[in-house]
Structures are given as C-alpha cells and as structure tokens.
C-alpha cells in the first residue's frame, strides 16, 4: 500500500502511467478539516513560535512551491506578509 501526499497529487499521472494495472483510490479531505487537524486548537502556540504545524513547514522558505505562490497572489497577498496561520 502506497499513499501519495497532497503535493504529489499534482503528479498523479506519473504514478498511474507507471503502474497502469494497480487499482487506486483518490481520497479528498476538506481543506478546513485538514487545517484544523494541523493546528489542533493550538493557534496561540503557532503564533508565538513555540509550535510549527505541518502546514507551515515551508513558511519563511525563500523557495516557495509555485502553486503556493499562485494561491497567495490570487488573494492579493504577498507571502512575506502572512502569519503562519494565514500561510496554512
């Protein structure tokens, strides 16, 4: 059993073309539910810097994923102006 994480979903075609006979299931989770599970009610710990949730692992990285930058820019924001909570 193999799973492809969210970032890998953009390349699902490579997986399916490499393993055409393997059955697979795509499981979609609501993004709000995912963020809630990452933060787990610890928003204050995130903002003070005592905790970094998985969704903020690239926060502060100069080389942001192109899709992340696209979403942020579509909202009229700049990545450097976001808090960790907003980034998630």
């Amino acid at each position: 059993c193999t799973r492809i994480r969210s970032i890998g979903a953009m390349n699902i075609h490579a997986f399916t073309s490499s393993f055409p006979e393997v059955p697979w299931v795509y499981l979609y989770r609501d993004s709000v539910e995912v963020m809630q599970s990452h933060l787990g009610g610890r928003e204050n710990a995130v903002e003070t810097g005592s905790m970094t949730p998985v969704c903020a692992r690239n926060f502060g990285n100069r080389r942001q994923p192109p899709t992340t930058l696209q979403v942020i820019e579509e909202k009229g924001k700049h990545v450097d102006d976001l808090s960790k909570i907003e980034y998630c």
Side-chain angles (χ1 to χ4, degrees), residues 3-17:
R3 68 179 181 181
I4 298 173
R5 298 189 185 269
S6 57
I7 194 72
M10 296 183 316
N11 297 309
I12 196 76
H13 65 282
F15 179 79
T16 57
S17 64

Side-chain angles (χ1 to χ4, degrees), residues 6-78:
S6 57
I7 194 72
M10 296 183 316
N11 297 309
I12 196 76
H13 65 282
F15 179 79
T16 57
S17 64
S18 298
F19 305 99
E21 302 299 317
V22 176
W24 60 279
V25 173
Y26 182 82
L27 177 66
Y28 172 81
R29 288 179 64 194
D30 181 64
S31 56
V32 173
E33 291 175 3
V34 172
M35 289 188 316
Q36 288 174 335
S37 72
H38 285 199
L39 297 174
R42 299 179 299 257
E43 291 86 352
N44 287 337
V46 173
E47 288 299 332
T48 61
S50 62
M51 178 202 158
T52 299
V54 173
C55 58
R57 66 180 167 230
N58 284 326
F59 182 80
N61 186 343
R62 289 283 138 214
R63 295 184 57 210
Q64 292 291 322
T67 51
T68 300
L69 292 175
Q70 180 183 352
V71 169
I72 293 169
E73 290 169 3
E74 285 174 359
K75 301 295 179 189
K77 304 264 185 174
H78 189 274

